[in-house]
Amino acid sequence: MIPVQKLTFKQQQLLVREAAIIHAVHGLLARKGYDLMTMDEVAAEVGIAKASLYKHFSSKESLAAAAMIRLIENTLAHVRALPSEMPAIDQLRGILRWALEVRLQGGLPMLPSDNKFLRDSLLDNPKYISRVMDLNELLAGLIEAARAAGELHQNLPVEVILLTIYARSCDPSVDYLKMMGVHSDAQIVDFMLATCFGGLSAISQSA
């Protein structure tokens, strides 16, 4: 058995500070978005000097990657904690519901899809790619099980359903509906779930 090496007090402090930085980045990305977030704001949010921030993260891209890795790890933990006896379709609905609730509470960082430098930075991050593949594998398994149970369209490829669920979690309609102030957060979540899994056809309402 390999002995577990204890962290020094300084190492523990660095880990705590890094967690605080990632938490701050989560909030800033959710509130302002990647393009408007600055390293100065992150440092101020955490209460540290900008130079100290650079000791942990060398760039804004590395900050965004750390925030996305933490988000995916939280999602993986949520998925793995779902009861195995729960029907696959209910697990998929529950996962999307959880993601939408997190987003409406300001806990879902949003990254621009048209920023090539950021996209390349994420694709070059082995830890990010590993977590994404783990999540994709878990959700693909649930999708295949739901299709086998006749709960999802057989003619839709797994990747299409998977990307549709991902897209619904970051659908801009959520922000517009919330800004309108007509519907509660719970209603908005129900609307997104209905359009994702039931579609817009009146026929699906009786299915």
Side-chain angles (χ1 to χ4, degrees), residues 141-188:
L142 290 174
I143 290 168
E144 289 173 345
R147 287 203 311 180
E151 299 286 357
L152 292 172
H153 289 295
Q154 300 294 319
N155 61 334
L156 287 177
V158 170
E159 62 270 19
V160 171
I161 299 174
L162 175 63
L163 291 174
T164 298
I165 293 173
Y166 282 154
R168 190 62 70 225
S169 70
C170 54
D171 192 329
S173 301
V174 173
D175 302 312
Y176 289 116
L177 287 169
K178 189 171 180 65
M179 282 191 296
M180 290 170 62
V182 177
H183 308 289
S184 68
D185 286 359
Q187 288 175 317
I188 294 173

Side-chain angles (χ1 to χ4, degrees), residues 56-181:
H56 294 271
F57 300 97
S58 60
S59 65
K60 193 164 79 164
E61 290 76 25
S62 63
L63 280 171
M68 292 308 297
I69 290 169
R70 180 64 57 83
L71 172 65
I72 297 171
E73 288 176 341
N74 289 342
T75 306
L76 282 166
H78 177 79
V79 174
R80 288 167 175 157
L82 291 171
S84 58
E85 66 273 12
M86 180 185 291
I89 189 65
D90 290 339
Q91 291 191 53
L92 290 169
R93 287 195 183 101
I95 293 163
L96 179 55
R97 177 179 293 280
W98 172 83
L100 289 166
E101 289 172 347
V102 169
R103 178 179 172 185
L104 284 166
Q105 293 164 8
L108 186 63
M110 304 297 287
L111 301 182
S113 59
D114 57 350
N115 188 313
K116 184 179 184 302
F117 190 71
L118 173 61
R119 184 170 63 250
D120 290 345
S121 176
L122 289 172
L123 293 176
D124 287 337
N125 188 308
K127 190 173 183 180
Y128 171 79
I129 295 299
S130 174
R131 298 299 187 274
V132 170
M133 291 179 66
D134 287 344
L135 182 59
N136 286 350
E137 184 178 351
L138 280 176
L139 294 184
L142 290 174
I143 290 168
E144 289 173 345
R147 287 203 311 180
E151 299 286 357
L152 292 172
H153 289 295
Q154 300 294 319
N155 61 334
L156 287 177
V158 170
E159 62 270 19
V160 171
I161 299 174
L162 175 63
L163 291 174
T164 298
I165 293 173
Y166 282 154
R168 190 62 70 225
S169 70
C170 54
D171 192 329
S173 301
V174 173
D175 302 312
Y176 289 116
L177 287 169
K178 189 171 180 65
M179 282 191 296
M180 290 170 62

